[in-house]
Amino acid sequence: MGLSVTVLGSSGSYPGRGEACSGYLVRGAGATVWLDAGSGTMANLQHHVSLDDVDAVVLSHEHPDHWHDVEGFYVAMRYGERARRGIPVFAPAGVRGKTSKRMDPTFDWRIVRDGATGSVGGLRLRFSRTDHGPETLAVRIDGDGRSFGYSADTGPGWSLAALGDGLDLALCESSYCGDKAGAPGHLTAREAGADARRAGVRRLLLTHFWPTVDREQCAREAAAAFGGPVEIATTNEEYHL
Ligand SMILES: [Zn+2]
Ligand SMILES: [Zn+2]
């Protein structure tokens, strides 16, 4: 019982050596959701579930490090041994404009925006527009009495608090360490920790690391701002809420 989050990749913006970009499996309440499908995540997903077990896909935004493996998933579901139809894909409008084809009726596109809600089995989803270039949607997922929040990509102009109270675990982007401001629309580890503290989240898991940053340093900086221990999203690890 409860929710679990399995990390399929945690490289930010481009895959580091031997790594995958953003992707997670959220399981609970009898449902399996593939949350973001960056390059390399489909390969890792199959260590944990079969492709047929994926009940729905959630894509946060149109940057390719968050959705590109949905192309391969479409091919597998469309032409595989057991063709499927109507797989729900929740995404802002911009993602659908980037895919190589419409992909329906294999996929049932659910175009979502700020404040939208949805459900997959017993999991309840609620989306929030973040501080990031193209329309980007953070998501809160509730189920089995637990609450999970995912920041997607965001700058400091958005807060985890927008996902509401009582998050048992927040998975938050932490693209950079120190005060180095890289590409706009991202957080440093210290900003991620400070925001998680303000938002009152119980547990903080950092992800979307620029491939060359020192993740341990990020965790130390985030922990100092959070006021408690902080975890580093590790590929193929499962986190129980
Ligand atoms: Zn990204
Ligand atoms: Zn992005």
Side-chain angles (χ1 to χ4, degrees), residues 11 16 38 67 103 106 123 139-140 142 162 165 172 181 203 223 229 236:
S11 274
W67 69 266
M103 299 179 166
T106 303
L123 296 176
V139 64
R140 176 186 177 120
D142 289 282
D165 294 335
C172 187
R203 218 170 132 195
N236 293 320

Side-chain angles (χ1 to χ4, degrees), residues 35-87:
L35 172 58
D36 270 349
S39 51
T41 59
M42 182 170 163
N44 288 333
L45 180 146
Q46 295 165 84
H47 287 308
H48 306 283
V49 295
S50 86
L51 297 174
D52 285 334
D53 292 332
V54 175
D55 296 308
V57 180
V58 174
L59 304 172
S60 64
H61 67 299
E62 66 190 61
H63 284 156
D65 58 313
H66 294 261
W67 69 266
H68 207 270
D69 272 10
V70 86
E71 295 275 354
F73 185 55
Y74 166 73
V75 171
M77 296 296 96
R78 171 77 176 77
Y79 301 105
E81 293 76 18
R82 200 168 70 79
R84 294 172 64 190
R85 294 165 72 97
I87 302 165

